[in-house]
Amino acid sequence: MSGTFSGKSVLVAGAGVSGRSAAAALLAEGAKVTVTDSAPDRFGGLDAGIATAVGLTAPPEGTDLVVTSPGWRPSSPLLVAAAEQGVEVIGEVEFAWRLAQHRPNPPAWLAVTGTNGKTTTVTMLASMLRAAGVKAVACGNVGLPVVAAVRGGYDVLAVELSSFQLHWSSSLRMDAAVVVNIAEDHIDWHGSLAEYEAAKGKIYAGDGVAIYNADDERSARLSEGTGHRVGFTLGEPGPGQLGVRGESLVDKAFGDGDTVLADIADVHPPGPYNVANALAAAALARAHGVPAEAIGKGLRDFTPNPHRSALVTEHEGIRWIDDSKATNPHAAAASLATHDRVIWIAGGLLKGAVVDELVAGAADRLAGVVLLGRDRAVIAAALARHAPEVPVHEVTAGDHGAMTEVVRAARAMARPGDVVLLAPAAASMDMFEDYPHRGRVFAEAVRNLTDRVG
């Protein structure tokens, strides 16, 4: 179903942010729209003219298309039934793409996926585009639904795409796209690392510029066979690459010769993984023709999102850092590598990921570990194998009130010069609403402790 949507009967699965945005756009296109969700209280505020149905397990008779929210698994009874009935299932991003192609002046799509750094990269990209005077917006998994961005009349979309969103897409063709990195994540949803990789690799479909991480074997491999490949590296760039020379970010892929884009000091928060994110964003921006001076200005203007290596406070010589966004081992490893001596706060839902490599790689940096959450025993066992001398404190409480004990235990282990780092290596939904909620609770507990003892 690739044409217009007028007169079509469309079922939207999920009444969250992306589902509501898709439903409103479908209604405006003249479709007959029904929204289904297991929680009827989420139907409040839907546009008049949108029908609702609680907990459907099969599409109503006559349904032409199902537009699913990204979190719905392929094994969901409704989506299985749709496939059995021959009803096409697409995601909100795929719907947005099809909607955009029927606009008089469709926007350019510059897309980012990967295991970690997606949001930082895409928001850096949007800042670079705006610094060049481009009417652009960051959208997708970063928060603003892609459908809303398409309807907003922007010239360029900086699109963050999760593996879930890519799974439910079939005809996306990006003007330029990057896989910033690949590590084990969401195995519980996709079923295997191979399926997870395959979903990420769909971002390279078409003949746009394929930007890859030359320091990440999986990213590089996924880009093979594409037309125009551009790499980025934390080392000296070769021809067709962006990289680092001395204290500068350098472009040897776009334009003639070597072009200095920015200083490493322009990148914040600091750290190698954010330099890599900046290079990925710069490659996408350069693919769209953004001049070098706008790259540096965009980085200097960039405001990092909360809960990404954010300093909560420094008290009695101890720095407390909230990196609640580190929801998998790969992200936690990058966060830990930024600091020399760490009291590490970790745990939550590991989603099937293995943590041995993470723990072994960070062992010499760990001055202590505080564990919480459902899968804390998995991390504890890895610590016993790879860092047996490191003191470990487990918090057994299963609600977010446990964070007070976590913070107190971390403070008891820390000494001046240490960093207490919340980088959980796991998702948060066992104890918190989401990772921002976890970060806010951590920051509140830290401030309560430091205010009381200060």
Side-chain angles (χ1 to χ4, degrees):
M1 180 180 176
S2 58
T4 61
F5 299 91
S6 179
K8 302 296 184 181
S9 179
V10 184
L11 175 65
V12 176
V17 174
S18 65
R20 298 167 77 88
S21 182
L26 284 160
L27 187 68
E29 291 291 305
K32 302 172 184 175
V33 186
T34 300
V35 175
T36 185
D37 197 287
S38 59
D41 59 327
R42 303 181 80 186
F43 294 146
L46 286 170
D47 291 352
I50 296 175
T52 59
V54 179
L56 290 180
T57 57
E61 186 175 349
T63 298
D64 297 302
L65 177 72
V66 174
V67 177
T68 181
S69 298
W72 285 50
R73 301 187 184 202
S75 59
S76 300
L78 171 62
L79 305 184
V80 171
E84 291 174 347
Q85 295 175 21
V87 178
E88 185 181 18
V89 179
I90 64 172
E92 176 257 342
V93 173
E94 174 70 19
F95 165 58
W97 170 258
R98 297 183 187 185
L99 188 65
Q101 303 320 297
H102 290 89
R103 301 255 156 163
N105 297 297
W109 290 51
L110 306 178
V112 178
T113 195
T115 303
N116 297 301
K118 297 185 295 297
T119 299
T120 299
T121 301
V122 85
T123 47
M124 283 178 170
L125 170 61
S127 184
M128 293 171 186
L129 291 164
R130 288 192 292 268
V134 177
K135 186 180 180 183
V137 69
C139 59
N141 199 51
V142 69
L144 177 69
V146 186
V147 168
V150 167
R151 299 177 76 195
Y154 294 94
D155 296 326
V156 180
L157 306 184
V159 188
E160 178 186 335
L161 295 176
S162 70
S163 58
F164 306 155
Q165 290 169 317
L166 285 162
H167 175 89
W168 294 117
S169 300
S170 57
S171 64
L172 299 184
R173 299 294 183 268
M174 305 293 97
D175 294 276
V178 63
V179 177
V180 287
N181 49 59
I182 293 286
E184 191 176 64
D185 198 16
H186 298 303
I187 306 305
D188 55 343
W189 198 95
H190 290 279
S192 69
L193 179 58
E195 289 297 319
Y196 174 65
E197 282 190 40
K200 293 292 192 185
K202 292 173 74 172
I203 204 169
Y204 288 136
D207 56 3
V209 180
I211 297 160
Y212 66 94
N213 185 346
D215 302 330
D216 186 288
E217 182 272 333
R218 291 187 175 107
S219 170
R221 175 164 40 80
L222 286 172
S223 72
E224 291 175 354
T226 57
H228 184 185
R229 296 175 77 223
V230 171
F232 67 91
T233 174
L234 289 174
E236 173 77 26
Q241 292 186 337
L242 285 74
V244 176
R245 178 180 300 146
E247 297 300 314
S248 299
L249 308 187
V250 178
D251 175 6
K252 294 184 70 171
F254 301 96
D256 298 324
D258 295 5
T259 303
V260 175
L261 301 175
D263 296 332
I264 286 179
D266 293 331
V267 179
H268 52 277
Y273 58 103
N274 276 323
V275 173
N277 294 335
L279 288 165
L284 288 167
R286 296 288 279 168
H288 190 68
V290 170
E293 56 269 22
I295 303 298
K297 185 178 187 307
L299 287 173
R300 291 188 293 274
D301 292 347
F302 168 68
T303 301
N305 287 336
H307 315 297
R308 291 165 174 81
S309 296
L311 178 66
V312 176
T313 191
E314 183 168 351
H315 186 263
E316 296 181 342
I318 299 164
R319 286 185 296 149
W320 297 79
I321 293 178
D322 167 16
D323 199 3
S324 184
K325 183 62 172 66
T327 57
N328 56 61
H330 187 263
S335 191
L336 285 162
T338 306
H339 310 287
D340 293 328
R341 182 180 152 91
V342 180
I343 308 300
W344 180 33
I345 299 172
L349 298 173
L350 286 171
K351 301 170 288 183
V354 177
V355 296
D356 286 81
E357 183 177 350
L358 162 65
V359 171
D364 61 351
R365 301 175 183 272
L366 300 178
V369 179
V370 183
L371 298 175
L372 75 166
R374 194 186 71 182
D375 293 337
R376 64 185 182 277
V378 177
I379 303 175
L383 286 160
R385 288 190 292 271
H386 303 291
E389 303 303 317
V390 175
V392 177
H393 181 96
E394 290 193 49
V395 175
T396 59
D399 58 66
H400 69 251
M403 194 62 83
T404 297
E405 181 184 344
V406 166
V407 166
R408 287 174 179 165
R411 178 61 187 88
M413 293 178 176
R415 69 187 192 195
D418 287 354
V419 168
V420 178
L421 175 66
L422 174 68
S428 57
M429 286 76 74
D430 55 336
M431 296 173 63
F432 306 93
E433 296 171 10
D434 47 28
Y435 78 81
H437 181 216
R438 176 171 60 190
R440 290 193 300 271
V441 171
F442 170 70
E444 181 181 4
V446 170
R447 293 188 184 107
N448 286 342
L449 176 70
T450 55
D451 289 348
R452 180 173 58 80
V453 301

